[in-house]
Amino acid sequence: MATRNVLKTDSIDSLIYKGKRGDYRGYRKELLAEETPDKIKNLIFCCECGGVSRKPRLPDGRTICTPCSKGTRATVDSRVDEILVQLKSRCPLSTRGCDWSGQLGDIVQHMSMCVKLRVACVTGCGEVLERCETDGHLKKCPLRRERCEYCGEEVQASGANRHIALCPRHPDGEVSCPYKELGCDVLGIKRKDLDTHLADYSISHQKLMLREIHQLRSENNKLRSETDKLRDVSERKECENSKKFQYLKRRNLIIHKRIWILLTLAVLGIAILMSYLRTERNRVDEKEHSIQSNKDSIQSNKQSIQSNKDSIQSHDQSMRFMLPSTVFNTTYLYDYIQD
């Protein structure tokens, strides 16, 4: 059993830069290809982390990289940037055999194509290997994709045998006999041997077909008989439904006629009732008119009675004035007669 590769993939970021992840971290010293002069060392090496400064700052005359300069009053010196990008550099994987050398400013571009960088297999099999070994590994990787030469479908190499059994065109793939549903029990037929099987078992297949035909004919006769019965039942039901329909149609006409008669009688009754109400209304109006005229005559009688009362009262008053004189005259006359 082969031992599994336990190597880890390389991080370009950690191979080039030093310190924690952050903006403008310093380059590693190991990237410099030749001995750096002392006057340049003082400009490019960070006094805190020891790395080659990137975007260096110069507080108090000392060189410090941007992450290490937090909390200090450092200023950017553009001269150092120009010196940095022109320094001669080598690949951080030179110990593995990479012989690249160039300017420090081009190191990132080189690492993106370095053949000695350890990467994971693109198929996801879990193997870690150098970039120059990927082509050879892909030829034997169990998860590599291969195209079937018969159907053109891409399948994993580890599943090639399973694809052969399912491939619709592969000659070594297993197929079922076309007469399997009729009762042929031969299994494990390869696609290339199918014609031979059909020729060898032609008589057996014909017997299976005849048996199936007899069964189908028997079932067909049964279905025909059941169909005839259903047709008879359907015709009877149709006749009964037709009679019911005619009966309901006649009943509907009778009901419509009765409704029409009832509506006509209702209209006539309403007309008679309206005429009666109109006559009664006229009669009530006449009675109200006669009552009003009686009221008027009573009122006039009251007024005449009142006038008679007034005349009687005036007559009574006049009689009261005349009565004393009449009594005096009568007494005088009586005395005169006595004398």
Side-chain angles (χ1 to χ4, degrees):
M1 181 176 180
T3 58
R4 184 175 180 80
N5 193 341
V6 293
L7 298 176
K8 295 183 179 180
T9 58
D10 290 327
S11 170
I12 296 177
D13 191 79
S14 61
L15 289 173
I16 297 177
Y17 305 118
K18 185 176 182 180
K20 297 180 180 180
R21 183 178 295 274
D23 293 335
Y24 302 115
R25 290 174 295 154
Y27 292 108
R28 291 185 176 274
K29 289 182 180 181
E30 296 81 3
L31 299 178
L32 299 181
E34 59 188 12
E35 188 65 24
T36 307
D38 292 339
K39 62 179 181 179
I40 297 178
K41 284 182 180 180
N42 295 333
L43 290 176
I44 63 176
F45 289 147
C46 177
C47 63
E48 294 291 336
C49 65
V52 181
S53 300
R54 204 162 47 119
K55 294 290 183 184
R57 299 173 180 271
L58 303 174
D60 304 328
R62 297 177 300 163
T63 300
I64 189 170
C65 61
T66 301
C68 296
S69 66
K70 292 182 179 179
T72 64
R73 296 181 179 179
T75 57
V76 178
D77 190 346
S78 59
R79 295 176 303 164
V80 182
D81 279 343
E82 297 175 358
I83 295 173
L84 281 175
V85 297
Q86 295 177 3
L87 289 176
K88 191 174 182 180
S89 174
R90 61 172 174 265
C91 178
L93 301 178
S94 59
T95 56
R96 298 181 189 171
C98 181
D99 57 356
W100 178 87
S101 63
Q103 292 183 345
L104 186 61
D106 298 331
I107 188 67
V108 176
Q109 181 179 2
H110 163 69
M111 293 305 297
S112 64
M113 300 180 295
C114 182
V115 295
K116 293 299 181 179
L117 188 72
R118 288 174 181 167
V119 295
C121 178
V122 295
T123 63
C125 68
E127 290 290 329
V128 177
L129 61 161
E130 294 180 356
R131 187 175 282 157
C132 60
E133 300 173 348
T134 55
D135 293 339
H137 169 73
L138 287 175
K139 293 179 180 180
K140 57 182 180 180
C141 179
L143 298 184
R144 68 185 184 276
R145 307 291 293 183
E146 295 181 347
R147 187 179 296 277
C148 177
E149 61 179 325
Y150 297 100
C151 67
E153 182 181 353
E154 287 190 355
V155 296
Q156 287 185 357
S158 59
N161 293 331
R162 183 170 61 255
H163 174 73
I164 290 174
L166 301 176
C167 180
R169 296 181 180 178
H170 201 288
D172 292 332
E174 292 185 359
V175 296
S176 299
C177 176
Y179 296 91
K180 179 180 179 180
E181 295 183 358
L182 299 180
C184 182
D185 55 358
V186 179
L187 303 176
I189 304 172
K190 293 185 177 181
R191 184 174 283 104
K192 62 183 179 180
D193 298 333
L194 181 60
D195 294 338
T196 303
H197 167 73
L198 294 176
D200 294 341
Y201 286 82
S202 60
I203 297 176
S204 176
H205 291 164
Q206 291 177 5
K207 290 180 180 180
L208 293 175
M209 289 180 62
L210 289 173
R211 185 181 66 182
E212 185 68 17
I213 290 172
H214 288 307
Q215 290 180 356
L216 291 175
R217 183 175 296 174
S218 177
E219 292 178 0
N220 187 30
N221 293 331
K222 290 181 180 179
L223 290 175
R224 185 176 298 173
S225 177
E226 293 178 358
T227 303
D228 293 337
K229 291 179 180 179
L230 291 174
R231 186 182 295 109
D232 294 338
V233 172
S234 177
E235 290 177 355
R236 288 197 302 270
K237 292 291 184 182
E238 185 177 358
C239 182
E240 292 176 0
N241 291 334
S242 177
K243 292 180 180 179
K244 289 181 180 180
F245 176 76
Q246 295 297 331
Y247 171 75
L248 293 175
K249 186 176 181 181
R250 290 193 300 271
R251 290 289 299 171
N252 191 25
L253 291 174
I254 293 171
I255 291 171
H256 277 290
K257 288 180 180 180
R258 290 181 179 178
I259 292 173
W260 177 254
I261 293 171
L262 291 174
L263 289 175
T264 304
L265 292 176
V267 171
L268 292 175
I270 292 170
I272 294 171
L273 181 60
M274 292 297 293
S275 176
Y276 173 76
L277 293 175
R278 195 178 295 109
T279 304
E280 290 295 323
R281 180 63 182 175
N282 294 332
R283 189 178 300 169
V284 171
D285 291 340
E286 291 176 357
K287 287 184 179 181
E288 288 180 353
H289 181 69
S290 62
I291 291 170
Q292 186 64 35
S293 61
N294 292 333
K295 286 183 179 180
D296 294 339
S297 61
I298 290 170
Q299 187 66 30
S300 61
N301 291 334
K302 285 183 179 180
Q303 291 177 358
S304 61
I305 290 170
Q306 186 66 33
S307 60
N308 292 332
K309 283 183 178 181
D310 294 339
S311 62
I312 291 170
Q313 288 179 358
S314 61
H315 182 68
D316 288 340
Q317 289 178 358
S318 62
M319 289 296 291
R320 288 175 186 174
F321 284 113
M322 291 175 63
L323 184 58
S325 59
T326 304
V327 173
F328 175 75
N329 293 329
T330 305
T331 306
Y332 179 75
L333 180 59
Y334 179 73
D335 292 338
Y336 180 73
I337 294 173
Q338 289 291 329
D339 293 337

